[in-house]
Amino acid sequence: MKVEYEKISPDTGSSFRLIYWKSENDRYFWHYHPEYEIVFVRKGSGKLHIGKHLTNYEEGELVFIGPNLPHTGFGYGVIGEHEEIVVQLREDFLGESFLYTPEMQQIKHLFEKAKQGLSFHGKTKKLVGSKLQKMLNLSHFERLVELLNIFQTLATTNEYSVLNSSEALFDFSHKDENRINKVYEYVEHHYREPIAIEVVADLINLTVPSFCRYFKKITHLTYTDFVNEHRVNQACRLLFENLSIADICFEVGFNNISHFNKTFKQLKGKSPREYRLSLTK
């Protein structure tokens, strides 16, 4: 479960990237990038993890994700077909002074809020979803005009929720990426075993107290919470298979079924048994 840096380039002949994407169940791709990202789920439902916000999403989901805010790919945990339309762009995609012109003040405020992650609902997500669908068949210039209209719609609606607190903003550097990925790779390979925090701290040449402070600063999770979250995410994948809850509990590294059930429900809002039943509906 690395926090992977995703490199994004604009489409040829355009100042931003527009993607129409179809897939089935995808891997758990926990990543970040300096670009803003609009995602409209045209078909399907699955699991949403943006920053510290964990939930399920349904068909029609519309989110606006700010730069360097870690999130999973929306194909993670889907059942059946999945379609989405994605727009990715840098803050200065129309020049450094773009957001500082008088006409763009509401949009500038929207971009600031997006750094916490925004989820839109009601008439707004239906209207913007149709505009994004329309963009797929437009010329590059017409796409740009439509995108500005979308920003204005998002900037002037009250139909949205903020997904993370302002204190939960993430700020990754490539140095942090390399250090944290060493920890994530170790957990990914050893989550089935007891993991001593002393071993992990030593991986990145920190004392245990320094490691705990550093890890919490970068991920906004304690190390124990991170390991538990990774184990629960692995359990979610195994719940698709014909294994008992007890077998899954021990397979993913928990040594107590009661603790497993309690932790799973805290993170997913359902017990493992309830979660498995929801997969068949």
Side-chain angles (χ1 to χ4, degrees):
M1 185 181 167
K2 302 177 185 178
V3 180
E4 299 184 30
Y5 175 83
E6 182 181 15
K7 183 172 176 54
I8 294 170
S9 300
D11 296 332
T12 302
S14 179
S15 55
F16 61 92
R17 188 182 187 197
L18 177 66
I19 310 164
Y20 170 63
W21 191 68
K22 296 178 69 173
S23 79
E24 293 191 354
N25 199 12
D26 198 5
R27 69 189 179 94
Y28 191 89
F29 181 36
W30 180 234
H31 64 287
Y32 73 101
H33 43 73
E35 289 78 10
Y36 286 81
E37 181 170 85
I38 299 172
V39 181
F40 172 65
V41 180
R42 189 169 177 269
K43 182 183 290 188
S45 59
K47 310 192 185 314
L48 184 67
H49 189 176
I50 298 175
K52 294 184 71 175
H53 182 82
L54 290 156
T55 187
N56 295 320
Y57 67 84
E58 301 295 333
E59 187 169 301
E61 181 71 44
L62 175 68
V63 298
F64 190 20
I65 304 169
N68 299 321
L69 182 58
H71 54 284
T72 54
F74 279 62
Y76 174 65
V78 302
I79 301 171
E81 290 186 50
H82 176 82
E83 297 180 22
E84 63 188 63
I85 300 172
V86 181
V87 176
Q88 297 169 324
L89 57 120
R90 294 251 180 178
E91 181 174 309
D92 60 353
F93 79 115
L94 290 180
E96 291 184 5
S97 60
F98 160 61
L99 288 177
Y100 295 90
T101 56
E103 296 86 351
M104 295 295 158
Q105 290 312 292
Q106 289 177 309
I107 294 175
K108 183 175 184 294
H109 185 52
L110 168 71
F111 274 44
E112 283 298 316
K113 290 187 291 185
K115 291 177 181 178
Q116 297 167 247
L118 302 174
S119 175
F120 294 87
H121 54 272
K123 294 179 180 178
T124 299
K125 71 176 184 179
K126 293 179 181 178
L127 174 60
V128 171
S130 66
K131 287 179 179 291
L132 289 166
Q133 180 71 32
K134 177 183 173 184
M135 282 177 66
L136 297 173
N137 300 311
L138 298 178
S139 68
H140 288 309
F141 176 79
E142 291 169 327
R143 285 180 177 182
L144 175 58
V145 173
E146 193 66 75
L147 181 59
L148 293 177
N149 282 324
I150 287 172
F151 284 148
Q152 186 64 12
T153 298
L154 297 180
T156 55
T157 184
N158 293 319
E159 296 180 318
Y160 70 89
S161 301
V162 178
L163 302 182
N164 290 277
S165 69
S166 58
E167 292 78 20
L169 296 181
F170 293 72
D171 183 19
F172 285 106
S173 68
H174 284 290
K175 179 182 177 182
D176 290 328
E177 177 194 355
N178 292 332
R179 296 179 89 182
I180 280 301
N181 279 346
K182 285 184 179 179
V183 178
Y184 287 5
E185 285 175 3
Y186 187 86
V187 172
E188 192 168 15
H189 288 98
H190 297 276
Y191 68 89
R192 296 179 182 86
E193 313 158 9
I195 302 177
I197 195 169
E198 293 82 4
V199 173
V200 182
D202 191 55
L203 276 177
I204 57 175
N205 300 313
L206 292 175
T207 65
V208 169
S210 295
F211 170 76
C212 290
R213 289 192 297 269
Y214 174 76
F215 194 85
K216 182 72 180 286
K217 176 186 174 184
I218 295 297
T219 67
H220 297 273
L221 292 169
T222 67
Y223 175 70
T224 299
D225 286 343
F226 166 73
V227 173
N228 284 338
E229 183 179 304
H230 185 74
R231 285 170 169 162
V232 165
N233 284 326
Q234 297 306 312
C236 288
R237 302 172 80 96
L238 293 176
L239 284 166
F240 281 92
E241 301 177 12
N242 189 27
L243 295 171
S244 71
I245 302 295
D247 285 344
I248 292 172
C249 164
F250 296 112
E251 173 65 21
V252 300
F254 286 93
N255 57 15
N256 180 288
I257 293 177
S258 176
H259 182 224
F260 170 61
N261 286 331
K262 180 180 178 181
T263 304
F264 192 103
K265 189 161 188 175
Q266 285 175 342
L267 291 172
K268 300 299 179 183
K270 300 176 181 178
S271 69
R273 194 172 306 280
E274 290 169 338
Y275 186 91
R276 171 173 274 170
L277 288 172
S278 72
L279 300 176
T280 61
K281 293 181 181 179

